[in-house]
Amino acid sequence: MIKYSLVLLSFFFISEVALCQKRIEPTTQDLTLAKNLKEQYPDDDVALVTSKDDVTFGLNKREGKVTVTHIVEENMINIDSRADIQVYSFYDGESSVESFEIRYRNQKLAGFTFNDEAYTSDDLFHNDTRVTYANVDFPLKGYRYLTKLEKVYKDVKYFTKLYFNSQYPTAKKTIRVEVPDWLDLELREINFEGFDIQKQVATNKKGDGKIYTFKLNDIPAMYDEEATPGPTYIYPHILVLPKSYSVNGEVVNIFKDTQDLYDWYRSLVTSLENDNSAFKDKVRELTENATSDEEKIKNIYYWVQDNIRYIAFEDGIAGFKPDEASNVFNKRYGDCKGMANLTKQMLVEAGFDARLTWIGTKRIAYDYSTPNLSVDNHMICTLFKDGKTIFLDGTEKFNAFGEYADRIQGKQVLIENGDDYILEFVPSVEADFNKEQFNYNLSFSEEAIVGKADKVFNGESRSGLLYYFNNLKNDKKDEFLEYYLNKGNSNIKVSNIATSDLLNRDDNINIAYDIKVENAVSSFDDQIYIDLDFEKQLSNFNFKERFTDYIFSSKKDLEATTRLEIPQGYHISHLPENISVSSDNFDMDVQFSKDNNTIIYKKRFQIKNAKIETSDFEKWNNFIDQLNNLYNEQIILTKD
């Protein structure tokens, strides 16, 4: 009887397992859906059949804060043979993950283990961000999981955006936001143009609020490309703008306008002690022998650049509040806010009018007409002197006084001004401000090309080179210069290198050297074949498999002239054809000519706005194809 019972139990268990497996294995419809999604998104392994964001708001009367509950439900499907992914959610001191679960398609809980740990990043020195995550495996094509995340924000001001795109392509996306009548909140639609986003507005069941529903189908994953524009430029999203709330008949402002945003920022700044005693002597040392105010300012600004190590620091309110200037001075490191505060306080100590300044870099599409914490991501210092406004960014190592990195050029700034604020714009420069000018004067020596080279670097091409050079150990600097000049090409020998002062950020960099290029010349019968371009800038720099604009770190302007002396008894029998192209974003020109017994080869590559837009790609790619053909083409000299 006992044996019979055990056999029956085993049979029941095996049957139950088999039935359970059958309930979660892919159906015919799942396999068809996976196949169709793979055809639509061939570069992806996982897709979202559906994704729904549900956002509601509450009021914490005791702390006077509007809270946010954000629930995300996703129906995930494997569209490849198998896939291994992580599902995760970040949170910090202003938010919490209340629940996170993964179920099979039959609603049974999957047995994945969730881990919770501090988040670390090479880009952040310290932050209070944590991450909850689970490693998830899809064993079969068409296999599905259902995930549900509930995240709570303690203060609505930290809940800033809702994106339609995610890291996975999505068949159907729904964003539902329920706004109670006591909350004045704007849902600003950003980058909706060109997308068939369906919007509905309805009164909720209780009749005390409105429900906004947005739907979009067939959404590709966020692009995995380098040097892309910031996501706020290219993806449709909803900007959440909480303006005020009403409680007991009283209206309490949150961020109704720019003044409210400034007032909140200023409340963080005015709580600083800013005791300058720690660096009084250093300011005196930096200024006492200076012969002009400009020299005093430069001495302070450059000292901060050279002696304060930039780190990224995000820890609750410290992600928005500057560190005390004395702390940054004593520790010799700080984030952008701490470095801006130290720069300001040292200048104030020296008797100048310096102010803290908030700014969003070019990664951010918004300006200060948008009162939201996502409008800025950086802080600098503004100096008012003799009717001029000068911006100082201590994080930009080797930027000269009065020069600005491309990432902040043209961007609007919010400058502290007591109870009020000032809005200004950082000046922009043309591409030729960053000009790189190369000159080669060459001749033949047996089977090699020899001669002299001279290079000049201006603007950001100069500051970038200075930064890399001065971050090297002393015993590596000569090695670096040689490698930089020969591009790691063993056929190029450089010698007798002479440079301008590579510690002086106020002057352009000049580098002169002797050069010998081997394997660039070959002779057959009465002809000499010459490969005259040994740098080949932008070679294969095409965008044939790209979907987003390409963003350069700065505007570019290269002008290279190579002169090669024709040996006696020879004449030119072939020169490559000249090529050129022009658009709003770039001017490119390559020319060959002859002047008496000299071949002159000129290149001018100018990236005028630090970007190549997708609308430029066809024209750009055609030019790069021509350029590569030119690089592969040889000059031919024939014996007279």
Side-chain angles (χ1 to χ4, degrees), residues 341-360:
N341 192 34
L342 177 60
T343 305
K344 169 195 168 179
Q345 292 302 322
M346 292 183 77
L347 288 169
V348 168
E349 184 65 29
F352 297 105
D353 181 6
R355 320 273 186 93
L356 289 178
T357 301
W358 294 263
I359 183 172

Side-chain angles (χ1 to χ4, degrees), residues 37 40-41 48-53 162-166 168-176 190-200 212-223 234-238:
L37 288 169
Q40 190 173 359
Y41 306 107
L48 304 182
V49 180
T50 59
S51 174
K52 181 180 179 182
D53 289 63
L162 288 161
Y163 281 99
F164 288 88
N165 301 73
S166 76
Y168 305 111
T170 305
K172 294 182 179 180
K173 176 71 176 184
T174 301
I175 297 176
R176 178 186 179 277
I190 307 292
N191 301 331
F192 273 36
E193 301 82 4
F195 295 92
D196 186 21
I197 299 173
Q198 305 298 314
K199 176 183 176 182
Q200 291 182 335
Y212 299 81
T213 304
F214 303 84
K215 294 183 179 180
L216 179 62
N217 297 335
D218 302 323
I219 313 163
M222 287 186 169
Y223 303 110
I234 57 179
Y235 300 117
H237 61 281
I238 298 167

Side-chain angles (χ1 to χ4, degrees), residues 452-472:
K452 294 187 177 295
D454 186 82
K455 295 186 174 183
V456 180
F457 300 84
N458 301 269
E460 288 198 73
S461 69
R462 177 203 68 231
S463 59
L465 182 55
L466 286 177
Y467 176 78
Y468 287 116
F469 180 78
N470 285 283
N471 271 287
L472 296 170

Side-chain angles (χ1 to χ4, degrees), residues 469-511:
F469 180 78
N470 285 283
N471 271 287
L472 296 170
K473 295 180 179 178
N474 286 329
D475 60 349
K476 298 290 185 182
K477 291 184 176 181
D478 290 342
E479 183 181 324
F480 166 77
L481 271 179
E482 185 175 340
Y483 181 85
Y484 180 80
L485 295 172
N486 67 19
K487 306 299 181 187
N489 186 341
S490 60
N491 288 314
I492 301 175
K493 312 296 182 185
V494 300
S495 58
N496 299 323
I497 302 171
T499 72
S500 57
D501 182 0
L502 295 182
L503 291 174
N504 186 347
R505 72 207 78 195
D506 289 315
D507 289 338
N508 298 328
I509 294 177
N510 288 270
I511 304 177

